[in-house]
Amino acid sequence: MNKIFLSAPAGLVPWTLREAADLGLVDPQADQGEKAAEVHPQSGIEIAGGAEEIYRANLHLRTATRIFLQLGAFYVSDFAALRHHVSRLPWQRYMASGQSLLVRAESSQSRLFHEHAVEREVSKAVIDRAEMLGFRLRIPADQETPDHFLLVEITRNRCTIRLDTSGEALNRRGYRQALAKAPLRETLAAGMLLASEWDQVSPLVDPFCGSGTIPIEAALLARKVPPGWQRAFAFQKWPSFQADLWESILAVAEQKIEESSVPIYGMDRNAGAVNACLQNAERAGAAQWIHFRQQAISDLPHLPGPGWVVTNPPYGQRVSAGSDLRNLYARFGDVLRSSCRSWRFAILCSDETLFRQTRLVPERALPMFNGAIAVKCFIGQIK
Ligand SMILES: C[S@@+](CC[C@H](N)C(=O)[O-])C[C@H]1O[C@@H](n2cnc3c(N)ncnc32)[C@H](O)[C@@H]1O
């Protein structure tokens, strides 16, 4: 059993924990033992497992950013000790000739505080060790996506070495290539859907859908399509990769994909955005499940429901949002009360004053991050 870290942004960790529990990767009630989880509310969840858990977490988790495998943990107070410990790790299981390695270090309250020097020393120790074992690693070229990414964390002289198993971050499902303005990360869109408690059978509407992230994630969720179904992962490049195990995990997941007739709507007043939605949904294999329409919020028709409105309207990053935005939010609230009364809502906004213009009364306001911007997901019922 190894330690595996399911990294997730602050705000999404509770949903990653729930997803991990649904997958049977952890038991949230267990204090100790194999299925116990160590929850770090700002950064993710540590679980125990091996290849199967790594493969399943990467394939299925909708809200996690990356899955890391812990290769080692030890105390260090100088570079010689760091190099010694690093060179003893089993690099040949994970890396092969010609592959590139990027090392990132974070250090706090430790004698080895110079992060660039730690990165350089670890990188050199791994490359030298590989050379001794008969294979050659390289530093990635500028702009090159590395084959392997190693995270070195030193806290109070305790050094933890984690190897990324995901490759590209997990929000990159592979379908979203056409972008509209201010797109949401796929992981955040999935987090909003989970936080909204959408029942996956009632209608779902995103009236500010931009590039379509929320409706597409909704369609994938309702059909039980794994978010990692269409992409590759770093662990597939490992010499120790178990192709048979991976194929069997994929086959089980594919058998669980369902047809779905749940009505999902995406609307945006911008024609370019609607076009981007169609292209993205096509790539995600979700186009036939979503009704996209070019439409301003003021023209939102009465929809059969009740259902869920899950959306992130435009927002200024400052508290003093312009009067156009304030009017838009006031209008949005009025439209929801007339077209979607008694529906549930989950609305992402960085600015509470702006949100209040809708005169919707949230039951909860969950703090989340949209990239670097602190936002809240306001959840409640339209009354
Ligand atoms: C923050 S973006 C949504 C991003 C989207 N969630 C995504 O992942 O791409 C807000 C969207 O609202 C649209 N919008 C602005 N005013 C609108 C209005 N009055 N009616 C409908 N859509 C509007 C913009 O065109 C923009 O695409």
Side-chain angles (χ1 to χ4, degrees), residues 146-192:
D147 293 306
H148 303 290
F149 169 51
L150 204 61
L151 190 60
V152 180
E153 281 175 329
I154 311 182
T155 308
R156 287 186 286 279
N157 299 316
R158 174 97 178 146
C159 176
T160 309
I161 308 259
R162 292 193 176 107
L163 177 65
D164 169 49
T165 72
S166 303
E168 287 222 80
L170 295 178
N171 59 289
R172 305 205 172 211
R173 321 281 205 220
Y175 66 76
R176 204 177 64 183
Q177 290 167 28
L179 291 186
K181 252 184 174 169
L184 270 192
R185 287 216 176 122
E186 296 82 341
T187 39
L188 179 55
M192 288 177 68

Side-chain angles (χ1 to χ4, degrees), residues 49-204:
E52 183 170 346
E53 286 73 18
I54 291 171
Y55 299 176
R56 292 183 66 227
N58 273 294
L59 179 65
H60 289 287
L61 290 178
R62 294 174 198 276
T63 55
T65 312
R66 284 179 183 281
I67 312 301
F68 288 97
L69 169 64
Q70 182 171 316
L71 297 185
F74 40 81
Y75 282 96
V76 279
S77 52
D78 57 48
F79 285 121
L82 179 65
R83 280 194 302 271
H84 169 75
H85 285 294
V86 166
S87 58
R88 289 166 51 127
L89 299 173
W91 301 106
Q92 66 280 10
R93 286 181 55 83
Y94 307 107
M95 296 172 196
S97 236
Q99 295 180 340
S100 60
L101 168 68
L102 181 75
V103 179
R104 282 285 163 265
E106 291 167 12
S107 172
S108 64
Q109 302 168 59
S110 299
R111 291 186 66 178
L112 296 182
F113 59 87
H114 192 313
E115 293 169 343
H116 288 312
V118 171
E119 288 166 2
R120 198 182 51 231
E121 291 297 323
V122 170
S123 209
K124 192 167 174 327
V126 181
I127 290 172
D128 288 353
R129 178 69 184 152
E131 193 103 32
M132 276 181 64
L133 292 167
F135 61 99
R136 184 163 287 194
L137 296 173
R138 56 187 183 82
I139 308 280
D142 267 358
Q143 312 291 328
E144 181 189 345
T145 305
D147 293 306
H148 303 290
F149 169 51
L150 204 61
L151 190 60
V152 180
E153 281 175 329
I154 311 182
T155 308
R156 287 186 286 279
N157 299 316
R158 174 97 178 146
C159 176
T160 309
I161 308 259
R162 292 193 176 107
L163 177 65
D164 169 49
T165 72
S166 303
E168 287 222 80
L170 295 178
N171 59 289
R172 305 205 172 211
R173 321 281 205 220
Y175 66 76
R176 204 177 64 183
Q177 290 167 28
L179 291 186
K181 252 184 174 169
L184 270 192
R185 287 216 176 122
E186 296 82 341
T187 39
L188 179 55
M192 288 177 68
L193 288 161
L194 297 178
S196 77
E197 310 279 352
W198 176 46
D199 63 5
Q200 299 173 31
V201 290
S202 303
L204 184 128

Side-chain angles (χ1 to χ4, degrees), residues 182-184 208-211 213 268-270 295-297 312 314 328:
L184 270 192
F208 299 96
C209 69
S211 51
T213 321
D268 199 289
R269 71 169 178 195
N270 183 300
Q295 188 172 65
I297 186 66
N312 79 307
L328 176 67

Side-chain angles (χ1 to χ4, degrees), residues 237-273:
K237 296 178 180 173
W238 298 354
S240 56
F241 172 55
Q242 298 175 44
D244 291 353
L245 176 61
W246 174 238
E247 290 303 327
S248 69
I249 287 172
L250 268 182
V252 170
E254 280 166 16
Q255 275 166 13
K256 291 188 178 155
I257 295 176
E258 294 174 358
E259 297 292 302
S260 161
S261 54
V262 56
I264 299 174
Y265 303 91
M267 296 139 187
D268 199 289
R269 71 169 178 195
N270 183 300

Side-chain angles (χ1 to χ4, degrees), residues 2 23 32 98 118 142 158 167 169 208 214 227 249 260 274 322 331 366 372:
N2 297 93
L23 285 171
Q32 49 191 357
V118 171
D142 267 358
R158 174 97 178 146
F208 299 96
I214 293 172
I249 287 172
S260 161
V274 175
R331 183 88 193 102
L366 303 175

Side-chain angles (χ1 to χ4, degrees), residues 1-33:
M1 282 283 171
N2 297 93
K3 287 186 175 177
I4 297 168
F5 193 73
L6 317 174
S7 81
L12 291 188
V13 174
W15 315 108
T16 310
L17 180 62
R18 188 195 280 188
E19 287 193 276
D22 289 348
L23 285 171
L25 297 176
V26 295
D27 173 0
Q29 312 305 333
D31 288 340
Q32 49 191 357

